Amino acid sequence: MSRALSESERCAWLRLARTENVGPVTFRELVRRYGSAVEAIAALPELARRGGRSGVRIPSEAEIERELAAGEALGARLVAAGEPAFPAALAATDPPPPVLWLRGNAEALARPAVAVVGARVASAAGQRFARGLAAELGQAGLVVVSGLARGIDAAAHEGALPTGTVAVLAGGVDDVYPTENRGLYARICETGCVVSENEPGRAATARDFPRRNRIISGLARAVVVVEAEMRSGSLITARLAAEQGREVLAVPGSPLDPRAKGANDLIRQGAAICEGADDVLRALEGLGALREPEAAAFGGEPAQAGAEADAALRERLAALLSPTPVARDELVRATGAAAPAVFAALVELALAGRAELLPGGLASTG
Amino acid sequence: MSRALSESERCAWLRLARTENVGPVTFRELVRRYGSAVEAIAALPELARRGGRSGVRIPSEAEIERELAAGEALGARLVAAGEPAFPAALAATDPPPPVLWLRGNAEALARPAVAVVGARVASAAGQRFARGLAAELGQAGLVVVSGLARGIDAAAHEGALPTGTVAVLAGGVDDVYPTENRGLYARICETGCVVSENEPGRAATARDFPRRNRIISGLARAVVVVEAEMRSGSLITARLAAEQGREVLAVPGSPLDPRAKGANDLIRQGAAICEGADDVLRALEGLGALREPEAAAFGGEPAQAGAEADAALRERLAALLSPTPVARDELVRATGAAAPAVFAALVELALAGRAELLPGGLASTG
């Protein structure tokens, strides 16, 4: 829609975003189908009941007012996906987070950004490299995005402090972890920006991190992995970046250092080698304009009626789902039903906690 | 020809190989054109005169006998290109060295080989890696080839001592440099093999090293570069290996270590990442049988007559040559003359020291 929301629209948007079992995919499906968050909220109880559950916990308006007040008390600002102030690169992800809390200098989000991420238990050399790389990227006019973790993340933020850096938190915008990074956090708030999709005051849990990592890569045109062991969060961020069409770079290291294993493995898989800022700048030259978010991603005309899912289809879908994510297109083929009916049924199952709708067109059990 | 030479043929072969201005390319052209080394030697004075020089220094038979006696005194063995005992992988290079002196266990040259090369001033970690890699490659049945230099080369030989390793020297087969590697040299002679294309007793000069490097890569199915600064000999070996159709692997390293720059750069250019022996074995799986040397590479029917070059063509070619190597095919196009006439004229210029015939179909001023 690309217009600022009214106060009441913003309140409904946030209520829907905070509703139990509503993730970014379900959120977007509901807003697409009902044309607005207000209409979607009105439909929720019936949808959840059809999915097989007596109801769904929608936060009260008072709860939402409390979240808005808590954010304001921090001097933070709420931006909804689709609003002009929502970062363009993140808006182009599929789907974007429904809302972001921003603390600090929101202007940092308007400039092109590069993510620098890596190991928490990083070598001194790796931290030195990350700090120097971030400083050079900053001098080249880029904003450096990272996750405020120990090690590489902290070093990257430090290097880019003079030019602007964005920290994406897994908990609320005020959930500083580790505590040793409190000073760094305060300095980022002064010159850069802290970002979270969660409500202020919330402490991060394990399942917040993949969504946080998706925002890190989503804000950035390129992701640089400095040191990463196999199966680390940094590699997940790199995978998400590739899915989002962003450039992935990795800093090579000795095979004798286990922290180099993940980055070397990325290079094997086609990531560009990063030995300095020049490599990042070269990778960005090759990158076309980011795909603009579809105009119809949010709002616009409500989807056609006739997308009512019948109970039999819903139960067949529930039986087809497993913890292993499967493409929704595959579910369409497996059931032989029309795609809109399948999507509608999946949203109902998601609201009932019986399905999880994942980015990339995937679904699994909830 | 793939048959052992008689004593007199061997003596002529070695005389031609040791003749002034006769490199591997000219050697092969002459043997092709005249059918044997004996016939080629008979033609040399007239060819050099045509090239513009009153004569060419051909070693006497007595000098050749002295070289053969010196090699025998060391217990070394001379093998001519085209003989069955000449290493098959090296015979497939274009062109192979005309002769090789072998000291030690020549059986090591019959097994598939991998070269492990790198920096002389290597890090302790790099040397440890090279030693371990060579040991694992040896256990997998491969012979490890290197150049007996300080650092990575020495470590690679050490790791492969129990299973067999080949040292290729730039000087004579007894020219051990650096002297600290004397003990290693002695142990290689016991279980592995030392190889040189030069006469025993000869001390290496700077221009011997590129030809030595071509033998290292030519003996190997794959070349692994462990640590290498930019513009180092190891990178030249890697380039030669690629030209010879061999696999090139490189061990990644931190951008903060200048010794990693060359290997990382190879990876950028498409070299496979080597983090251990498995990577080398995987690269070899993908490698088809080495191209067999052409049956007509040496000996066979003499080339057709009518390949006499006239003086005008020769002088036009001399004028076209510069220190920058140019393709001989390009010289054929530039002169509009027949290819055999151009090649014949180039051989004459080479013998007169006015041209240099290089591997890969190139020519430059001598």
Side-chain angles (χ1 to χ4, degrees):
Chain A
M1 92 194 83
S2 208
R3 63 167 180 84
L5 298 176
S6 70
E7 281 309 304
S8 67
E9 283 173 327
R10 180 184 307 269
C11 181
W13 193 274
L14 193 53
R15 277 185 84 195
L16 185 59
R18 300 291 183 234
T19 293
E20 186 185 21
N21 297 331
V22 173
V25 177
T26 304
F27 183 95
R28 189 181 50 181
E29 290 294 325
L30 289 169
V31 172
R32 272 187 183 162
R33 187 159 160 198
Y34 293 97
S36 75
V38 174
E39 294 298 320
I41 289 170
L44 280 175
E46 170 61 12
L47 293 173
R49 194 195 53 69
R50 280 201 252 155
R53 187 162 170 170
S54 59
V56 65
R57 220 195 72 73
I58 307 170
S60 67
E61 288 186 16
E63 285 175 86
I64 294 306
E65 292 301 336
R66 278 200 293 279
E67 174 172 346
L68 290 170
E72 275 164 38
L74 293 169
R77 170 181 174 191
L78 184 77
V79 185
E83 288 193 304
F86 198 85
L90 189 60
T93 61
D94 178 26
V99 297
L100 281 188
W101 277 106
L102 317 179
R103 187 176 189 184
N105 173 15
E107 295 304 309
L109 292 165
R111 284 192 283 144
V114 167
V116 177
V117 299
R120 287 177 170 74
V121 186
S123 72
Q127 291 178 61
R128 181 152 56 94
F129 183 85
R131 200 175 293 114
L133 178 69
E136 284 183 55
L137 292 172
Q139 280 150 22
L142 293 160
V143 170
V144 173
V145 181
S146 198
L148 198 72
R150 274 193 193 93
I152 298 300
D153 284 19
H157 286 305
E158 282 163 12
L161 268 177
T163 50
T165 183
V166 172
V168 185
L169 305 192
V173 78
D174 54 347
D175 178 46
V176 186
Y177 181 86
T179 49
E180 70 202 52
N181 283 348
R182 288 213 162 275
L184 178 59
Y185 171 90
R187 281 180 292 158
I188 294 173
C189 288
E190 279 167 30
T191 58
C193 189
V194 175
V195 168
S196 164
E197 67 169 322
N198 282 321
E199 62 272 25
R202 165 151 161 186
T205 65
R207 67 179 293 161
D208 291 319
F209 286 91
R211 278 174 67 172
R212 189 280 301 264
N213 292 343
R214 179 176 291 277
I215 296 175
I216 290 178
S217 57
L219 285 169
R221 283 157 195 255
V223 171
V224 184
V225 177
V226 178
E227 284 186 339
E229 302 204 30
M230 297 302 278
R231 284 172 294 282
S232 63
S234 306
L235 295 194
I236 294 172
T237 305
R239 182 172 56 74
L240 296 169
E243 288 174 9
Q244 291 165 342
R246 313 301 158 93
E247 293 290 318
V248 178
L249 298 97
V251 179
S254 163
L256 295 173
D257 184 347
R259 284 172 295 223
K261 190 89 189 94
N264 288 345
D265 207 60
L266 285 174
I267 294 167
R268 283 177 190 277
Q269 291 166 37
I273 289 186
C274 176
E275 293 179 287
D278 283 350
D279 291 320
V280 180
L281 299 176
R282 208 171 301 121
L284 293 182
E285 275 171 23
L287 196 69
L290 288 169
R291 188 165 52 82
E292 287 297 313
E294 292 168 33
F298 285 113
E301 287 303 299
Q304 290 300 311
E308 301 281 299
D310 67 24
L313 173 58
R314 219 161 34 228
E315 296 312 313
R316 280 170 66 203
L317 283 168
L320 285 168
L321 291 173
S322 79
T324 305
V326 62
R328 279 171 267 167
D329 289 346
E330 205 170 303
L331 295 172
V332 169
R333 276 197 296 278
T335 56
V342 169
F343 295 164
L346 286 171
V347 166
E348 291 161 12
L349 289 169
L351 289 169
R354 298 170 68 196
E356 187 161 17
L357 302 190
L358 305 164
L362 299 173
S364 65
T365 46
Chain B
M1 98 192 76
S2 210
R3 62 167 179 85
L5 298 176
S6 69
E7 281 310 303
S8 66
E9 284 172 327
R10 179 184 308 267
C11 182
W13 192 275
L14 192 53
R15 278 185 83 196
L16 184 59
R18 299 292 183 236
T19 293
E20 188 188 16
N21 296 331
V22 173
V25 178
T26 304
F27 183 96
R28 190 180 52 181
E29 292 293 324
L30 288 169
V31 172
R32 273 188 183 160
R33 186 158 158 201
Y34 294 96
S36 74
V38 173
E39 295 297 322
I41 288 170
L44 281 176
E46 169 61 13
L47 293 173
R49 194 195 54 72
R50 279 202 251 156
R53 188 163 167 165
S54 59
V56 63
R57 220 195 74 73
I58 308 168
S60 67
E61 288 187 15
E63 285 174 86
I64 295 305
E65 291 302 333
R66 278 200 293 277
E67 174 172 348
L68 292 169
E72 274 164 39
L74 294 168
R77 172 181 173 192
L78 184 77
V79 186
E83 288 192 302
F86 198 85
L90 189 60
T93 60
D94 179 25
V99 296
L100 280 187
W101 276 106
L102 318 179
R103 186 176 189 182
N105 174 14
E107 295 303 308
L109 292 165
R111 285 192 280 144
V114 168
V116 178
V117 298
R120 287 175 170 76
V121 186
S123 72
Q127 291 178 60
R128 180 152 56 93
F129 183 85
R131 201 176 290 115
L133 177 69
E136 285 182 56
L137 292 172
Q139 280 149 23
L142 293 160
V143 170
V144 173
V145 180
S146 197
L148 199 72
R150 276 194 192 93
I152 298 300
D153 283 20
H157 286 306
E158 281 164 14
L161 269 177
T163 51
T165 183
V166 172
V168 185
L169 305 193
V173 79
D174 54 347
D175 178 46
V176 186
Y177 181 87
T179 50
E180 71 200 54
N181 282 349
R182 290 211 161 274
L184 178 59
Y185 172 90
R187 282 180 291 158
I188 294 173
C189 287
E190 280 167 29
T191 59
C193 190
V194 175
V195 168
S196 164
E197 67 170 321
N198 282 323
E199 61 273 25
R202 165 152 162 184
T205 64
R207 66 181 293 163
D208 291 320
F209 286 91
R211 278 174 68 172
R212 190 278 303 267
N213 293 342
R214 179 177 291 275
I215 297 175
I216 290 178
S217 57
L219 285 169
R221 283 156 195 256
V223 171
V224 184
V225 176
V226 178
E227 283 186 341
E229 302 202 30
M230 297 302 277
R231 282 173 294 281
S232 62
S234 306
L235 296 194
I236 294 172
T237 306
R239 181 172 57 74
L240 296 170
E243 287 173 8
Q244 291 166 340
R246 313 302 157 89
E247 293 289 320
V248 178
L249 298 97
V251 179
S254 164
L256 295 174
D257 185 347
R259 286 171 294 224
K261 191 87 189 93
N264 288 344
D265 207 59
L266 285 175
I267 294 167
R268 284 176 190 275
Q269 291 167 36
I273 289 186
C274 175
E275 294 181 288
D278 284 351
D279 290 319
V280 180
L281 299 175
R282 208 172 299 121
L284 293 182
E285 276 171 23
L287 196 69
L290 288 169
R291 187 166 53 81
E292 287 297 313
E294 293 168 31
F298 286 113
E301 287 304 300
Q304 290 300 309
E308 300 282 298
D310 67 26
L313 173 59
R314 219 161 34 227
E315 296 313 313
R316 280 172 65 203
L317 284 168
L320 285 167
L321 291 174
S322 79
T324 307
V326 61
R328 277 171 268 167
D329 290 346
E330 206 170 303
L331 295 172
V332 170
R333 276 196 297 278
T335 55
V342 169
F343 296 163
L346 286 171
V347 167
E348 290 159 13
L349 289 169
L351 288 170
R354 298 170 67 197
E356 188 161 17
L357 303 189
L358 306 165
L362 300 173
S364 66
T365 46

